Every structure is written in C-alpha cells, then in structure tokens.
C-alpha cells in the first residue's frame, strides 16, 4: 500500500502543481515588472554614488525560496511521499526477503519462509548482481571480482550501509534515466530546445554540489529524500547530454534507408535511432551511477543514510581507521558498478 499511496500522492501533487504554477507565473510577471521599475531607478543612483544599496540577490533568493516552499507545500509533500515509497521499496529489495510488513521492516516484519532469512537474502542479492554482471559482460573474471567485492563488504560489516547507498544510487538512476532519456531524445530532434536547456545543464553541472543541499533542505527537510533530490539535480545532465549525443549522431544513411522503406517516425526512433544510440545511453547510465555514488558523502550531510554516514562521523572525530575503512568500501562499490556497466565499443 505504501507504493500505491506514494503514486497517488505523486499524481495529486502534480495536479496541484499545475494549478499553482499558473498563479506562480502571474505573481512572477508582476514581481518582474516591479523589479524592472526599481532597477531603472536604482542603477543611475548606484553608478553616480548616490546610494550604497546593492542588488538584493540574497534577499530575493530567500524570498523566492520561501514563496515556493509555502505555495507549493502540497506538491513537495506528495513528491516526498512518492520518493520515500520508491526508496523504501528499493531498500526492502536489498535488505529483506518477502514477508509481512516487508516495506517498513521493524519488529512487525515476519518473513514468509523460515529458511529464507535476512542473512541468506544477502547472498541472494549477491547472486542477482553476479547474474546481471554475466548477462551484461559475459566475463567470468568480472563476475568473480563482483563476488569478492561483496564478500569484502560483508566481512567489514557494511552491508546495511552499502544497501542504503545502493538504494540512493539506484533510485537516483531510475529518476535520472526516466527523465534524461526522453529529454535527450526530444532535444536531439529539436535543436532549439537543446540550445535553450544547454545553459541550464551547464549551471547544474558547474554549481557547487553543496548549493543543491540548501533548497533540498528548505523544501524537503532532512532525510533520504533531500539527498535524492540533490543527487538527481547533480546527475541529470549526464544522461540528457549523452542521449542527445547518441540520437543526434545516428548515421544519416540509416535514417534515409528507414524512411525509404516507409518507416514511421516512431519506428525510426525505436528501430534505428535508439539502437544506434544505445552505447551512449549505456554510458549515460554508467556516468549516472558513478556521479550518484560520488554524492553519497555529501548526501549524508542532510541526513541520508548509507556509506557517507561513517565517513562524516570519521571526519568529525578525526578517526583515521573508520574513515579509511568506509572510504575503501565506497571505492569497492564504485569499481564493481563501473565494471558491471562498462560499455565495450566495437
């Protein structure tokens, strides 16, 4: 029921946001007109030294955040509920076998099968990752490396923290690929759209990652959700750009041949452009995972669980042993995920 409630909350929040957006646009245009009038009066005085008032950049940003937070509160609550449902679902997949109260765990959790315990479930998860690695790479050496990496994590006692970090990474990748691939396809077909969003993508990639945490905390409070939001903002440009690159560089000869044989635009997309762009899209997925993993420590600063928590704790207490131990586990996870999804170009 948690997932269904989360989806329903997301639908209601989107409907509310559409109505609120109309009012927000009207308020913004009114504010912009008044701001332009003030600016025209302020600029000559500032240039001639008649006033020492600076452009109120910080105060304007603060009022803007407060306006969005107060006006769009139902939207953010619904979005937070939906994302929490997604996070709970992925985390339950990694930590617990099927059972009563499977999503929330806790004292009321009771597995359906007595033999399939939580300790055994860890090896089931490892087997799934190894099988996925074999399907993608067809290389027993990489599969063996994945097994050794997970066994090392189990030996160090970081399975729960690793599962929480993987939950953040996988959830961020689901959101980023779900948004990034369609936007990349649309921008590849519409050069003006890509020209319009390119400065926004540049800003998202160059803005310091700590800056993302401020609006995330303002809108969503502390926990896994603001960490996920900050991660998505940081990661999203990679799949958009790489999908755009792959689709826009589809060989012209293939497109002309498909059109000559009577293919519709949808058939051209699904049977020509996407297969041709698949290496770039997979590279975008790989980059999304690596960038998401790089946000693990930063997300811990806003209350997100995972491998970033012991790193931050070690930093605060200058604990060299804990810091190196948890940091090395992050490196192991990054290497495993990179080798699993590395694209081989012919």
């Amino acid at each position: 029921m948690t997932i269904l409630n989360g989806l329903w909350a997301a639908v209601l929040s989107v409907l509310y946001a559409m109505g609120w957006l109309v009012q927000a646009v009207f308020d913004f245009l009114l504010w912009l007109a008044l701001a332009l009038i003030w600016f025209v009066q302020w600029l000559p005085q500032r240039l001639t030294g008649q006033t020492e008032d600076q452009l109120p950049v910080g105060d304007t940003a603060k009022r803007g955040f407060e306006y969005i937070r107060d006006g769009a509160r139902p939207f953010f609550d619904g979005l937070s509920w939906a994302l929490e449902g997604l996070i709970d679902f992925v985390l339950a997949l990694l930590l617990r076998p099927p059972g009563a109260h499977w999503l929330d765990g806790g004292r009321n959790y009771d597995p359906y099968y007595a033999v399939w315990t939580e300790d055994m479930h860890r090896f089931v998860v490892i087997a799934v990752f190894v099988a996925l690695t074999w399907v993608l790479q067809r290389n027993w050496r990489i599969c063996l490396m994945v097994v050794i990496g997970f066994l090392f994590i189990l030996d160090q006692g970081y399975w729960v923290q690793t599962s929480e970090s993987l939950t953040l990474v996988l959830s961020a990748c689901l959101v980023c690929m779900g948004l990034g691939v369609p936007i990349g396809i649309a921008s590849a077909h519409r050069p003006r759209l890509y020209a319009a969003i390119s400065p926004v993508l540049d800003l998202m990639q160059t803005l310091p990652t700590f800056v993302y945490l401020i609006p995330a905390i303002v809108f969503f409070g502390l926990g896994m959700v603001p960490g996920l939001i900050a991660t998505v903002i940081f990661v999203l440009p990679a799949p958009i750009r790489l999908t755009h690159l792959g689709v826009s560089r589809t060989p012209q000869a293939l497109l002309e041949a498909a059109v000559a044989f009577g293919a519709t635009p949808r058939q051209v997309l699904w049977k020509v452009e996407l297969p041709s762009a698949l290496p770039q899209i997979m590279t975008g997925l790989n980059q999304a995972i690596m960038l998401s993993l790089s946000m693990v420590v930063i997300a811990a600063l806003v209350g997100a669980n995972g491998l970033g928590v012991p790193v931050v704790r070690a930093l605060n207490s200058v604990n060299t042993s804990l810091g190196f131990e948890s940091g090395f586990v992050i490196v192991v996870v990054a290497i495993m995920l990179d080798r699993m999804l590395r694209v081989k170009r012919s």
Side-chain angles (χ1 to χ4, degrees):
M1 291 300 294
T2 303
I3 301 297
L4 295 178
N5 290 338
L7 293 176
W8 178 243
V11 172
L12 291 179
S13 64
V14 170
L15 294 176
Y16 175 85
M18 294 174 62
W20 175 81
L21 191 60
V22 176
Q23 178 184 353
V25 171
F26 175 78
D27 292 341
F28 174 75
L29 294 176
L30 179 60
W31 170 85
L32 184 61
L34 296 176
L36 289 175
I37 295 174
W38 176 87
F39 181 79
V40 171
Q41 297 175 348
W42 168 85
L43 184 59
Q45 297 178 2
R46 182 61 171 170
L47 293 176
T48 58
Q50 299 179 16
T51 180
E52 296 182 357
D53 294 337
Q54 300 175 342
L55 282 175
V57 177
D59 292 338
T60 303
K62 179 182 177 181
R63 290 196 296 268
F65 281 132
E66 292 176 349
Y67 174 84
I68 297 175
R69 179 196 62 192
D70 297 337
R73 174 57 61 190
F75 169 73
F76 292 122
D77 289 343
L79 180 61
S80 178
W81 197 358
L83 293 178
E84 285 178 358
L86 174 63
I87 292 171
D88 292 340
F89 176 73
V90 177
L91 186 60
L93 283 176
L94 296 175
L95 287 181
R96 293 181 291 274
H101 303 282
W102 176 64
L103 286 177
D104 53 4
R107 296 181 180 179
N108 296 325
Y109 168 70
D110 184 24
Y112 292 142
Y113 308 100
V115 180
W116 193 352
T117 62
E118 293 186 43
D119 291 335
M120 181 179 291
H121 184 71
R122 299 177 180 182
F123 294 98
V124 174
V125 173
I126 294 174
V128 171
F129 273 95
V130 173
L132 179 60
T133 304
W134 175 256
V135 171
L136 295 176
Q137 300 296 336
R138 300 289 179 175
N139 189 322
W140 66 269
R141 295 182 179 85
I142 299 179
C143 293
L144 180 61
M145 185 203 67
V146 172
V147 172
I148 294 174
F150 275 116
L151 292 179
F152 171 77
I153 293 171
L154 285 174
D155 175 72
Q156 296 298 305
Y158 280 90
W159 180 260
V160 175
Q161 292 89 337
T162 301
S163 298
E164 292 169 342
S165 293
L166 285 175
T167 297
L168 181 64
V169 171
L170 295 177
S171 300
C173 288
L174 286 175
V175 175
C176 289
M177 298 304 292
L179 295 175
V181 173
I183 294 176
I185 294 173
S187 61
H189 291 160
R190 300 169 179 81
R192 291 183 179 179
L193 175 62
Y194 185 73
I197 67 175
S198 184
V200 179
L201 299 179
D202 294 337
L203 179 64
M204 294 167 65
Q205 288 183 309
T206 57
L207 200 65
T209 53
F210 285 97
V211 177
Y212 301 144
L213 303 180
I214 299 174
I217 294 174
V218 171
F219 297 146
F220 298 98
L222 298 176
M224 292 286 282
V225 173
L228 176 60
I229 295 296
T231 302
V232 168
I233 296 174
F234 178 66
V235 174
L236 187 57
I240 292 178
R241 290 187 185 277
L242 287 168
T243 302
H244 168 269
L245 177 66
V247 174
S248 61
R249 291 193 176 183
T250 302
Q252 191 65 28
L254 293 178
L255 297 176
E256 293 175 354
V259 174
F261 280 98
T264 64
R266 179 176 297 181
Q267 290 174 330
V268 171
L269 172 63
W270 285 99
K271 296 184 178 182
V272 179
E273 292 180 331
L274 288 182
S276 176
L278 185 60
Q280 284 77 16
I281 295 175
M282 288 300 297
T283 302
L285 175 60
N286 184 288
Q287 290 297 307
I289 291 177
M290 293 298 104
L291 292 172
S292 299
L293 199 56
S294 70
M295 287 288 290
V296 166
V297 178
I298 297 176
L301 298 176
V302 294
N305 298 324
L307 293 170
V309 175
V311 174
V312 174
R313 188 182 302 121
L315 180 63
N316 292 333
S317 59
V318 197
N319 190 331
T320 306
S321 175
L322 179 62
F324 183 83
E325 186 179 83
S326 54
F328 192 73
V329 171
I330 294 176
V331 173
V332 170
V333 174
I335 293 175
M336 289 192 301
L337 294 178
D338 177 69
R339 295 300 184 272
M340 285 176 58
L341 298 172
R342 177 169 292 185
V343 179
K344 296 180 180 179
R345 299 182 181 275
S346 56

